[in-house]
Structure formats: C-alpha cells, structure tokens
Amino acid sequence: MSEVVHNGYKSGSNLERVLVAGHFAVTGELGPPKNHDANVIRRKAELLKGCVDAVNITDNQTAIVRMSSIAAGVILIQEGMDPVIQMTCRDRNRLGMQSDLLGAAALGIKNVLCLTGDHQSFGNHPTAKNVHDLDSIQLVRMVKDMRDDDRFQCGEEIPGGGPRFFIGAAANPFGDPFEFRPYRLAKKVAAGADFIQTQLIYDIPRFREFMKRVVDMGLHEKVFILAGVGPLKSVGMAKYMRDQVPGMIVADEYIERMEAAVKHIDKTDKKARAEAWQQEGIRICIEQIQQIREIEGVAGIHMMAIEWEEAIRPIVEGAGLLPRPAIQ
Amino acid sequence: MIVGEQKPLAEIKQMLAGFHKVLLVGCGTCVTVCMAGGEKEVGILASALRMSTRLDGNAIECDEVTVQRQCEWEYIDPLGSRLANYDVVLSLACGIGVQTLVQRFPNVWVVPGLNTTFLGMPPEQGVWEERCQACGDCILDKTGGICPIARCSKQLLNGPCGGSQKGVCEVNPQTPCAWQLIYDRMSAMGRLEQLLEIQPPKNWSAARHGGPRRIIRDDLRLPEDYRTA
Ligand code: SF4
Ligand code: SF4
C-alpha cells in the first residue's frame, strides 16, 4: 500500500536489492509440476537454495498446463526464497492479469516477468483459444502504471495504492530481424521494465554484438540485463534446440564439443555417455558465464536448467559466483 | 473476399441423413471466386451426393440453384416459392448466406456445406491467405499496411515475438512472420521510427469482443414505414 515506505526500492525484492547493490546477479528457473504436488516445488527449491538470488517460476511453459506460477511462488516464499512469477499474455486478459497481480502482491510476491507466451499449438491443449488481449510490452506498461501511478489499465485509481513489483521482461538477441532486437528491448525499457532476462545464449559472438548495440543505445544504464544460460545435456538436446526451438541459435562449436565428449565411450554404455555429456555441458556453461561476465552491460545471469536443477549448484560454484550476497 | 472451404462429403452426408429431397443453393459472389460454393461447385457436389447416396442405398434427390448473392434479401426472395418442395436446403454460401436464408425462410431447415474460413485473398492461383479479422478499428496505418491482428499468430501490436526467425512464424513455417513483413516494409519506406512507438492496448470492444456488431446509417435508412425486415 502506498503509505508504506519503500526505501527507494521499487519492490524491495531480493533480486532488486542484489542488483541495485551492484552485485552480479544470479537467477534460476523452476518449472512447476503437472499436478498439485507442493513437494515437487520444495524439492527443486532445495537444489536452488543459496545458489541464486531469485527463482523464476514458469507460467504454463510451452503451453503445457502446470501448477500456477503464483501458487508455486508462494511455496517458494515459504521456503525463504524470492520468486519471480512469469506471466504470459496467452491465457488471461487484462482483467485476469490485474486480478492475479493484486493476489500475487497480497501473497508477498515482488517480482514479475512479463511475457507474450508460447503459442498454444506447441502444448498439450492445441485446440484451446488463446487470449493475447495485451502483448508483453503492454503488460509491462500495465504493471508499471499499477505500481507508479496507482492505476488500473483502464485508468481507474487503485484504492489504497497499487501493487509494487520489480518488473522484468524477456529479450531474444537471436530472433529476427536481428537489427530490430535492440530497439524492441528499448521499447520494453520505455514501457517500464526494470530487468531483462534473455533467451538461452549458445552464440556468444552474436550476443556480444547485440550487447554492443544495447550499450551504444545506453540501455544498460536504464535496465538490468541478465544473460540467459543453461547447460546442454546431450548432443541430441543441442541439436533439438538448434533445429526445433523457435528463435534459438546454437553454435556448431558446442555441438562438436558435446560430440567429442563421448567419442571414446562405447555407444552401448549409455550411463557413461550421459555422464560425460553432463560434465561437458556443465563445463561449457561455466566457460560461457565467464565469457559473458566480460561483456559490457551484463548485470547477471539467468540460469535455465529445467528438469536438471541439480546442475545449477556446480555451475554457479564453478563460475565463482558463490556465496550469494545476503542483503538486508 | 470471404474465403470458404467445402466440408468433407462424409460430414455433409451426415447433415443430410434422413432427408430425401435437398436443394443445394450456391452463391455467386465471394465463394464463387474462391471456388468453394459457386454454380460449378454446386454441380459437382450435387453429383457426388447423388452418386454416393445411391451407392449407400438411400438415394437423395438433389436439385441445384445458385443465386447471385445469398446475403441479400432481393437475391434470395425468388427462391421462396420453390423451397416448399424440399425437406432440406444445403447452402454453399458463407455462414452469412446460410443465416440470411434462415432468417428469411424460418420454416425451412438449412445446413451449411462450407466452412467459412477467413477474410482474405489469393496471393497466387489456388492459394488463399487471411488478411483481415474485421477488428472494427483498423490500424494498418501504424503497421505499414500489413495486419498483425490477422497475420501474427499472437496478434502482437508491438512485435515481433522472440520466435520470429528467418522470416517465418514460430507457429508454422509455412506462414511468414507478419512482424518481419512489417519491419521490412517500414524499413523500405523509411518509416522504422514509427515502430519505436509503443502501441497501447487495443480497444477490442470494436471487435467481436464487444458483442455482435451492427452499423446503422440514418442517412441511408428508409423511413420507418418502408423498411423491410
Ligand atoms: S487492423 Fe483490423 S480492420 Fe484493419 S486489416 Fe487488421 S483486422 Fe482488419
Ligand atoms: S513469429 Fe512473428 S507472426 Fe509469429 S507470433 Fe511471433 S511475431 Fe507473430
């Protein structure tokens, strides 16, 4: 509520505090289960605890029905962690989203990541009707207007003041048209994004080029940019991401390294191959983080290791990012 | 134009099951041009129905007629006297034609022979593409004459989404990414800076979301006594 003092913070979330204090931030990602088992969230939270400053909770990721990101976020708060709830424009109109934002704030959630959302045709309800009442940029603006002007999207005043979120948005440096990507990021910043999490990066030169333009435009001074990274798990996964995931580029170098990792292992020894791949995937990821840290304008990393949350600790540790700062 | 596609024969036969005498009514406008429900298609479908129902052992008698425009009273009124001879009408017009018949001839059972698909045009012979969703508040001036409501899978007003790659939409590699098209056009026209403006949330009340729509032009309306329903 607006009478509360915010100490200059927008939401005062742990993520915001870490970034404002100038630390190189680490966020992780947690995919809720396809059922209502709260223990799945607690188990995964355990793997992330102490390794990350905040945890993104996906919102029906890849258009597959899962536990709601807000509900899962509340479980994370109970575990003493700082959730970033993802909110897509696919499943809710502006009424549903604002009502959920009020609810999320009431339950103590302080970060929201505004997304367009994967198309329902990719998921498990391909015959569903999608919403897309707003797009992600309009959603960012709506959350900002609720926070900074205490107004609903319709312009009506929110009695007692609006919910205060640290507002995130996504950026894909690898989507086309490439030249427009920094400008679309600028639109998100202008709409009110406080932080950006990028798509998974498997093409560092192209990301560097993107960041150079972003820095030339001065955007890195207006928004915290967290670079998306994640460990490859096998050659198959690397190729799948390269060929099947829309808007993704995977440099051949990584595919070759993953191939080389199992070159001397017998094809029938599946266990040894999987282990070799995992080790190489983790090694590549650590190297990537080190390269990304050198790039001007990057304020942190966003680790995506969905269904392989065990990899996060070794990576964050290997990259020299432990312990995470504790800020009061 | 309104673009439609004929329903599968099996589905049409299901709708006609139990009837003995059917009148197929084509339309001479949009669906003739998109070759789904004009005189020619009515003829072909009628033959197919005759043959197929005969083989099934319960032949349906099929008569054919095509009116110039099935969505206007004046073109369908002349059908009135004939309809009593049939126990069902199979309309090969768009959904508007079907409903015009139903409203005009409330005692007649009318079923649709087409799936009315979209508002579009044929970029090449034999291919039709969607171009407009009749959103009621045209924004083509803001997007270089390329409609993201009809042509972007997520109807983004501030696109493109992260899935746009190599000019195609993430949802279907056969579909060009509308926002890549918009970007290319704005860039060719020297108007890229227009795309930097944030488009505010759309007023969907002008679209179907505001409920069924109606336009009334008092300048064109007849005096009350002369109006026809
Ligand atoms: S903006 Fe609306 S009216 Fe204009 S072409 Fe697109 S859907 Fe049709
Ligand atoms: S790829 Fe292009 S057309 Fe497809 S949803 Fe994204 S912006 Fe829209």
Side-chain angles (χ1 to χ4, degrees):
Chain A
M1 302 259 142
S2 51
E3 318 83 64
V4 179
V5 180
H6 300 290
N7 299 324
Y9 287 117
K10 287 172 172 164
S11 79
S13 72
N14 187 58
L15 178 60
E16 182 183 10
R17 286 164 195 264
V18 167
L19 285 165
V20 168
H23 297 285
F24 190 79
V26 180
T27 54
E29 196 154 296
L30 189 155
K34 284 167 82 174
N35 58 29
H36 62 283
D37 184 355
N39 287 326
V40 175
I41 307 280
R42 297 201 180 95
R43 221 166 26 238
K44 290 184 175 186
E46 214 43 58
L47 295 168
L48 292 164
K49 212 174 263 180
C51 302
V52 296
D53 305 311
V55 181
N56 280 41
I57 317 275
T58 52
D59 176 14
N60 290 336
Q61 194 191 13
T62 60
I64 289 172
V65 176
R66 291 170 180 281
M67 187 193 294
S68 103
S69 60
I70 295 173
V74 171
I75 298 172
L76 278 195
I77 292 177
Q78 291 163 0
E79 296 297 304
M81 301 173 81
D82 185 27
V84 179
I85 53 153
Q86 300 195 173
M87 185 172 262
T88 73
C89 297
R90 179 194 54 230
D91 307 332
R92 277 164 289 190
N93 68 7
R94 58 191 91 173
L95 278 87
M97 291 199 275
Q98 290 179 101
S99 133
D100 278 352
L101 287 164
L102 296 177
L107 292 166
I109 287 163
K110 294 190 167 124
N111 310 294
V112 57
L113 184 78
C114 305
L115 302 169
T116 300
D118 298 315
H119 197 266
Q120 75 279 2
S121 59
F122 293 115
N124 64 354
H125 289 73
T127 58
K129 188 173 183 197
N130 60 23
V131 182
H132 298 297
D133 176 23
L134 305 182
D135 63 27
S136 58
I137 291 179
Q138 293 161 346
L139 173 56
V140 166
R141 173 59 59 82
M142 182 172 83
V143 183
K144 180 182 190 288
D145 288 348
M146 290 175 87
R147 180 189 70 197
D148 294 349
D149 299 340
D150 302 319
R151 300 215 170 263
F152 289 114
Q153 190 277 328
C154 62
E156 204 177 283
E157 200 178 321
I158 303 174
R164 303 188 61 87
F165 288 103
F166 192 47
I167 306 168
N172 183 4
F174 309 105
D176 283 326
F178 179 58
E179 319 76 55
F180 190 63
R181 290 294 158 184
Y183 292 100
R184 187 145 193 271
L185 174 59
K187 281 180 89 166
K188 292 194 172 180
V189 175
D194 302 309
F195 70 99
I196 297 287
Q197 290 170 324
T198 79
Q199 165 74 286
L200 278 168
I201 299 165
Y202 293 111
D203 182 345
I204 302 256
R206 182 139 172 183
F207 178 63
R208 206 175 271 129
E209 173 64 27
F210 170 81
M211 281 307 297
K212 188 174 172 305
R213 298 189 194 197
V214 166
V215 169
D216 287 345
M217 290 164 73
L219 294 174
H220 64 305
E221 281 161 1
K222 299 185 187 146
V223 73
F224 297 105
I225 298 170
L226 311 189
V229 292
L232 294 167
K233 217 174 181 176
S234 65
V235 173
M237 173 198 176
K239 288 189 175 161
Y240 174 80
M241 294 223 262
R242 180 187 65 186
D243 303 331
Q244 305 293 330
V245 179
M248 185 95 112
I249 296 180
V250 180
D252 289 338
E253 165 200 349
Y254 299 126
I255 292 176
E256 285 156 18
R257 277 183 65 175
M258 292 299 279
E259 277 166 352
V262 293
K263 214 165 65 202
H264 301 295
I265 302 174
D266 194 274
K267 272 214 160 69
T268 55
D269 194 348
K270 294 220 165 85
K271 192 159 166 270
R273 281 165 70 88
E275 268 169 27
W277 269 330
Q278 294 192 359
Q279 278 172 16
E280 186 64 4
I282 289 175
R283 202 160 18 217
I284 291 173
C285 193
I286 293 171
E287 287 172 28
Q288 281 192 316
I289 294 172
Q290 282 154 350
Q291 290 166 349
I292 286 168
R293 278 193 87 166
E294 303 296 315
I295 299 174
E296 189 186 356
V298 178
I301 51 157
H302 176 54
M303 288 270 319
M304 286 170 268
I306 290 271
E307 303 311 332
W308 190 18
E309 285 84 359
E310 295 81 0
I312 291 188
R313 180 170 286 277
I315 292 170
V316 178
E317 190 161 35
L321 293 168
L322 290 185
R324 300 308 310 151
I327 300 171
Q328 287 320 305
Chain B
M1 70 175 89
I2 294 172
V3 181
E5 210 178 5
Q6 225 170 74
K7 283 180 176 288
L9 188 64
E11 188 185 344
I12 294 178
K13 276 168 66 183
Q14 234 167 41
M15 292 190 292
L16 297 179
F19 294 110
H20 305 291
K21 238 184 135 189
V22 50
L23 179 65
L24 285 78
V25 185
C27 176
T29 307
C30 302
V31 295
T32 291
V33 190
C34 70
M35 295 185 259
E39 197 175 353
K40 198 171 121 209
E41 292 77 28
V42 165
I44 296 170
L45 179 61
S47 322
L49 278 171
R50 279 182 208 115
M51 233 180 321
S52 160
T53 54
R54 198 178 315 131
L55 287 175
D56 295 344
N58 42 29
I60 298 183
E61 203 177 308
C62 299
D63 285 349
E64 308 162 26
V65 61
T66 297
V67 297
Q68 191 178 332
R69 238 194 321 282
Q70 223 178 96
C71 58
E72 285 194 65
W73 304 142
E74 64 172 294
Y75 296 106
I76 62 165
D77 277 345
L79 291 178
S81 51
R82 288 181 67 177
L83 294 180
N85 305 327
Y86 300 92
D87 31 54
V88 61
V89 166
L90 174 64
S91 165
L92 264 73
C94 69
I96 305 164
V98 176
Q99 294 180 67
T100 310
L101 290 179
V102 165
Q103 192 168 348
R104 200 54 155 184
F105 308 114
N107 298 325
V108 178
W109 189 246
V110 187
V111 295
L114 300 192
N115 291 320
T116 306
T117 318
F118 51 75
L119 307 181
M121 51 82 68
E124 62 177 273
Q125 191 175 315
V127 178
W128 288 268
E129 285 180 358
E130 182 162 21
R131 289 291 180 264
C132 175
Q133 289 237 321
C135 76
D137 182 12
C138 195
I139 54 151
L140 285 176
D141 57 312
K142 302 200 165 63
T143 55
I146 292 157
C147 175
I149 310 295
R151 298 172 72 179
C152 164
S153 302
K154 299 176 189 169
Q155 302 195 318
L156 304 183
L157 293 183
N158 296 282
C161 79
S164 171
Q165 216 170 37
K166 302 196 173 73
V168 300
C169 174
E170 66 167 39
V171 175
N172 180 350
Q174 306 306 318
T175 310
C177 167
W179 275 98
Q180 177 75 52
L181 297 176
I182 293 169
Y183 176 82
D184 291 345
R185 167 128 171 104
M186 291 306 242
S187 137
M189 299 297 283
R191 287 174 172 272
L192 270 185
E193 77 289 347
Q194 230 182 300
L195 291 187
L196 304 184
E197 273 167 45
I198 296 176
Q199 292 308 321
K202 190 168 169 64
N203 172 7
W204 293 109
S205 71
R208 179 53 195 92
H209 309 270
R213 292 168 284 176
R214 181 181 215 196
I215 295 172
I216 298 176
R217 291 263 312 262
D218 281 324
D219 58 329
L220 296 175
R221 266 192 133 176
L222 296 176
E224 217 160 319
D225 297 348
Y226 295 89
R227 280 179 204 162
T228 52

